[in-house]
Amino acid sequence: MAYIAPKDYAADPEIVAKILRTISGQLELDWMKRVGEPAAFRPSQPSRGLTLDDINQGGYGPDKLPEVIRHNFSMAPRGSLMPPGLPSLGYRVNRKSDVWADVAASLFEESKSRRWAPARDVPWSALDTPAHDQRHELALCQIATGLISIGLVSCDVAASWEWRMNQEFHEIKYLLCAQMFDAGRIAEAFRKRALYGGGSLGVDSRPLGELLKSIFLSDTYPEASVSMNLLLFSWVQAIGRHWAAHASNAADAYLGGQLAQDATRFVSYGVDHVRSHLHARPLQAEALADHLDLCENALVGALGAPELIEPLVIVSGGFEPAAAFYRRTASEYFRRCDAAGLGDRREVSALTPFLRMLQGDSP
Amino acid sequence: MSYYGSADYRYNDDLALRMRDIKKGNLDLGWLKAGTESRKFATENKKRGLTYMDLNHGSYGYDDLPELPRGPRGAAPRGAAFVPENQADLEPELNRKTDVWAYKVASFTEEAMSRQWDATTDVPWKDLDQYPRSEEIEIAFAQLCTFFTEVELIATDLPAKWLWRMNNQFSEVKHFIATQAMDEARHAEVFRKRALAGGIGLMEALPQTEHSLKAILDGDTYSEASAFMHLLAEGNVLTMFRFSEFISPTPVDKRIFQLVMQDEARHVSYGMQHLKWIMDHAPEQKEQLHRALDEGENVTINQFDAALTECMIVLAGKGTKPEQIQEGIKVVGNMQAKQITEYFHRLERAGFAERIPRSKFTPMMADLGIGQGVKAAL
């Protein structure tokens, strides 16, 4: 047991005495006088309900949060009164610019309002008579196997940082819980997709595992965020769209659409987070760029691995459509990097020579 | 950057040759010969859809997962083909099934997925103005909501602290824990919103409570932390939710407690079934769990004298007049006795009844002369 209470309360006569005083009706009630900032917030748009943005006002909102949290390492909610004696819960991520994105609260709201459950919401019986051949089906199962791995490790990444974040950033912590939930659902949905009917899982991809490990073992949260939310999920989002666009049945169309929708939240947070991080601390651009150099290199390994590119070629109907899909997705990703303040990564990214390779040019 | 991949793909002849071959239509297709099991999976109950339980067969299932899944340490899903020496090792720390597993965990996960709700739209916030409350009742309720906002996020932080250390073979448990994190984020959200919609705002954080939260977060093993959090702490909170529904000042508040209760019951059930799994499969861990709960119960006792007790008394008695206080004390006393008896019943159902005579609650309740139900449970 790592934490030992300062007293053996069970043997503390003062505790029993206090409880007996309470039982006899001698209440202190002094807590009733310790009231903070009054608040009676209401939905700004009744049809949307009471959102986090509606209650983020005055001392309860994040606007007055300092860049470095020095006043609260406990679980006291932001805006509550903090008496002496609150312990430190050991939070390690205490700088606002390391985690913050203004869009986070809305993305958390969206994640709840767009909830879906793979067990019931996917029309699984549409897979009973898929309008594609067996090789195409096995290619989808192989892509699904990769998506399950992505879901499992993305859930780990969000979890590994959430518990280290200061409670003052509760909107970000909420969003990371939603990411854990969304990533777990990706793993669930595509496991079910691969196995339904007479399906099977495919093979593990070492290069994909290396990409995921590079993200999982990021040294800082901004590095984890830029590599997972902005880089990895740009590709997950694109795979979702591609899956839906090439679907031969209602189940696959639904799954691809939902994957793209959920992945878009990761990307949106990533762009806004990196942008605000670099706005507050522009010198961090180099650290993020270094990390992306390595993760993009790992991504090239995953994109070029037979376990991914070959099933994509089959599903896309040939090499050229698959290569076009890669080019389009890379282009979108580069635009997002630019929008996030990372500059033009086309010239430095390992993706660029890889795309040239796909065109048949010398890398 | 802690991890560098094994290859530099900017200068990789193998990759260039592979791309040239694929472009010419010469696919390797080695992945088509995965050699994984092919089975006919179907939905057993159309209404419930395709569940994890439907997939629980053969190499893809969890029943046949051994206590020590030797080999898999990476991102490969259970049942996929992988080469142990060729996987990217994610270095999981929890690799024994007993470390994490619980009976019925797959059905808990499915339930969590199907019973998602939204604190923004599923609570009729606009109706709050229809129900007049005295200021002292609203103050007491604001203190109660402050407490719930404060404690609920421990049940996101603790699962998050352990989830990424678990082997990916235990995907149903990891998924359950992810759903719990989301549930608890939603709980913290709904109580924060309620406190900030009622007119009073947030009140005071509780140092005694926070020491309990710290003890939960600092558990030495996942099972110790789970026994403390899922079984003891969330069990207590579940009883409080039921009680709070009963004493809620408005129907809007009752609705909140109805929504959070179903989630909390699921978390407590997981904790109980995880403990039961340990009792059945690793009874040698009993003493370690006893020691963890000795300290868990110790810090829990310190919460009895907090503002928390008094705010519940005011709510239960519907005010602060002496007769209202007396009524409140009666109701809250029953609730606190119920917390202990329900905890003891859960220990019994988990096969850990030997804990009850050793519990720190037992002599304390006797000293106080309350809780006949506790004595009955003994």
Side-chain angles (χ1 to χ4, degrees), chain B residues 15 29 36 55 64 76 84 112 173 185 188 200-201 213 218 261 275 283 313 319 332 351:
Chain B
L15 180 68
L29 299 180
T36 51
L55 308 182
D64 292 344
V173 172
I200 299 298
L213 304 179
D218 286 0
M261 249 189 291
L275 183 62
I313 289 171
V332 173

Side-chain angles (χ1 to χ4, degrees), chain B residues 236-250:
Chain B
N236 280 343
V237 167
L238 177 59
T239 313
M240 287 177 71
F241 281 169
R242 280 201 209 102
F243 160 85
S244 301
E245 185 201 4
F246 173 62
I247 59 164
S248 282
T250 76

Side-chain angles (χ1 to χ4, degrees), chain A residues 17-33:
Chain A
K18 275 186 184 172
I19 297 172
L20 287 173
R21 276 201 299 275
T22 305
I23 290 172
S24 67
Q26 298 173 54
L27 271 58
E28 294 170 8
L29 296 179
D30 50 345
W31 54 270
M32 294 191 86
K33 299 179 198 113

Side-chain angles (χ1 to χ4, degrees), chain A residues 1 3 5 9 29 39 42 50 75 88 109 112 149 192 197 201 204 206 210 213 219 297 304 310 348, chain B residues 1-2 10 18 28-29 36 41 75 81 86 89 110 118 120 129 189 193 197 199 211 214 220 298 310:
Chain A
M1 189 75 182
Y3 179 75
Y9 295 112
L29 296 179
R42 289 290 177 274
L50 184 66
M75 297 195 78
S88 165
E109 295 287 3
K112 291 178 292 136
S149 295
K192 289 177 174 175
L201 291 178
D204 179 41
R206 161 96 193 187
E210 292 210 339
K213 186 170 179 174
D219 280 339
N297 176 64
E310 291 189 359
V348 294
Chain B
M1 181 73 181
S2 305
R10 282 172 181 274
R18 192 188 311 144
D28 171 73
L29 299 180
T36 51
F41 291 102
N86 197 36
D89 188 344
E110 290 290 353
D118 186 351
T120 304
D129 295 328
E189 174 203 2
K193 285 180 172 174
H211 281 276
K214 185 172 175 61
D220 282 339
N298 184 44
E310 295 192 356

